[in-house]
Amino acid sequence: MVVWTLRVAALLTVGYVVFWWCLGTTQADFAVYLRGARHVLHGHALYAGGTPTTRFTYPPFGAFLFTPLGVLPVHLAQLVWGLVTLTLLYAVVRITRQRLGEVGASPRWLPGALLLLAPVIALEPIEHAFQLGQVDIALAALCLYDLGPSRLGRLPKGVLVGVAAAVKLTPFLFVPYLVITRRWRQAAVAVTTFAALGLLGMAAGVHQAVHFWTHLVLNPHRVGHLWSISNQSLTGTVDRWIGHVPSGPGWDLVLVVVAAAGLLLAALAYARAPLAGDVIVGLTALLVSPVSWTHHFVWLVPAVLIFLAWSHRHRGWLAPVGVVALILGLEVLYWVPNGSGWRLHPALWESVVACSYTLVAVLVMVGLVLAVCRPDRSRRTT
């Protein structure tokens, strides 16, 4: 009876959040998806006009994918997308719980996926993703499922990673991850799927597709102010420190080195705990991307669950403290003024807090490697 009461309470909490954001407001990012879909449906120029907060900035396939919702009234489309996103968030939690055995941690101590939905939605990146109608929860669900041991019917492994990368380019970093972990066939399928969906995106117009892949994909300024504290990529962080967007071969080399280091950490983790490796790659992709808004950091959800379950198995205190610090690190970001002139004369604490997501991501990546590579005392014999 108690369990069912908790489940009903969780459903009511989740339902309230979803219906509030889906029916009570206009979701800014989802409006961008609908704008792209409706431009495709009506034959308008996909990337013309608009402001950084309203123009479509994704690959053409992203607009093509949302065309079924483009024929619906705005709030009905938001509700449908909200329910889809909620289902996929449930999938993220459920898949993570099912795969916790990979990191030597039993999921039995953690509540069921349904009961975890309410506290997970309370995390700032997830709440913000629902508030904006973002797509990143869906992309994380696709990648987590595809990288795990389960298969979706007869669908080849690698297809879902390719789909995620075709919607937003950041998940493409999983392709070299598949290569260095010797899953060559899965990597080839992901690349083939990505290329095929790129061609399918030409249904939005050949000229539009060519314009995106030859010009817009190289212009991160198109999506907004990179110095905003909401941009927690390395590029955004350094922009706030030095007063301008870093660029040139030197900065490109820095990003390549960071990506390579992240992939190396992921490979080390994968040897003992594939789930930890997957999370590390997801976070690395956010760090090296020119723009990673706070609601993109949904990969912190499986990280939190890994640390909690692992800590319970090993009866340590470090992981719970780390989880509390992680959550606080996500919540303190907006203590910093987010105006256009704050970065000209920031206090030291502002400079540190303004990159809290970046710091949290790096610490989580290192923590995951240390956690999974630590000898399991429970298996030692006396």
Side-chain angles (χ1 to χ4, degrees):
M1 183 64 182
V2 174
V3 173
W4 278 106
T5 302
L6 291 174
R7 288 177 177 175
V8 171
L11 281 175
L12 290 176
T13 303
V14 170
Y16 171 78
V17 172
V18 172
F19 281 89
W20 170 258
W21 291 123
C22 295
L23 297 177
T25 62
T26 298
Q27 297 170 316
D29 287 359
F30 184 73
V32 172
Y33 306 148
L34 283 188
R35 175 187 175 93
R38 289 171 176 172
H39 279 203
V40 171
L41 290 171
H42 296 98
H44 298 161
L46 183 58
Y47 299 104
T51 66
T53 58
T54 62
R55 65 169 63 108
F56 190 79
T57 60
Y58 301 90
F61 174 71
F64 184 78
L65 184 66
F66 279 90
T67 51
L69 296 178
V71 301
L72 300 177
V74 172
H75 284 90
L76 178 57
Q78 288 186 173
L79 178 60
V80 172
W81 179 241
L83 294 175
V84 169
T85 304
L86 177 62
T87 302
L88 292 173
L89 178 61
Y90 173 82
V92 168
V93 177
R94 185 177 178 85
I95 292 168
T96 301
R97 288 189 75 253
Q98 290 174 339
R99 296 183 60 190
L100 282 175
E102 298 176 10
V103 294
S106 172
R108 296 177 182 176
W109 172 77
L110 286 175
L114 180 60
L115 296 181
L116 285 169
L117 277 182
V120 163
I121 286 180
L123 292 174
E124 200 280 337
I126 303 301
E127 181 184 5
H128 205 185
F130 275 104
Q131 177 185 354
L132 298 173
Q134 255 288 338
V135 73
D136 293 276
I137 293 173
L139 302 184
L142 293 177
C143 293
L144 272 174
Y145 189 89
D146 204 3
L147 295 165
S150 302
R151 293 187 61 175
L152 188 61
R154 296 184 178 180
L155 196 68
K157 301 289 285 184
V159 168
L160 298 182
V161 168
V163 171
V167 175
K168 182 180 285 190
L169 298 177
T170 311
F172 197 83
L173 190 64
F174 284 104
V175 172
Y177 171 59
L178 291 171
V179 172
I180 64 176
T181 53
R182 299 185 179 184
R183 291 175 282 179
W184 296 292
R185 182 175 180 178
Q186 193 169 345
V189 171
V191 172
T192 302
T193 303
F194 173 78
L197 294 180
L199 293 174
L200 180 60
M202 289 189 177
V206 175
H207 174 74
Q208 302 293 323
V210 171
H211 182 53
F212 175 83
W213 291 111
T214 58
H215 293 87
L216 300 183
V217 72
L218 301 174
N219 181 18
H221 299 276
R222 179 178 171 79
V223 302
H225 299 298
L226 272 64
W227 50 258
S228 170
I229 62 170
S230 295
N231 179 18
Q232 288 292 300
S233 68
L234 290 177
T235 299
T237 296
V238 173
D239 182 11
R240 289 188 292 273
W241 286 347
I242 66 177
H244 62 84
V245 178
S247 60
W251 180 245
D252 292 339
L253 179 61
V254 169
L255 295 179
V256 169
V257 170
V258 172
L263 289 171
L264 176 61
L265 289 177
L268 291 174
Y270 176 82
R272 296 203 176 190
L275 175 60
D278 301 346
V279 174
I280 290 171
V281 176
L283 292 174
T284 300
L286 295 177
L287 292 178
V288 300
S289 173
V291 180
S292 293
W293 307 121
T294 56
H295 49 266
H296 294 173
F297 284 76
V298 298
W299 285 97
L300 292 174
V301 170
V304 168
L305 299 181
I306 289 172
F307 283 131
L308 288 176
W310 182 87
S311 173
H312 180 261
R313 176 177 176 82
H314 295 272
R315 291 178 171 81
W317 57 269
L318 186 59
V321 171
V323 169
V324 172
L326 185 158
I327 295 173
L328 290 176
L330 304 183
E331 297 297 331
V332 302
L333 175 64
Y334 292 102
W335 291 1
V336 176
N338 196 23
S340 60
W342 80 271
R343 62 195 175 105
L344 299 179
H345 303 286
L348 178 59
W349 73 269
E350 290 179 319
S351 298
V352 174
V353 173
C355 61
S356 60
Y357 273 66
T358 306
L359 295 173
V360 164
V362 172
L363 292 175
V364 166
M365 291 162 58
V366 174
L368 286 173
V369 173
L370 295 177
V372 301
C373 291
R374 177 184 176 182
D376 190 349
R377 295 179 180 177
S378 63
R379 296 182 181 179
R380 293 181 180 178
T381 57
T382 57

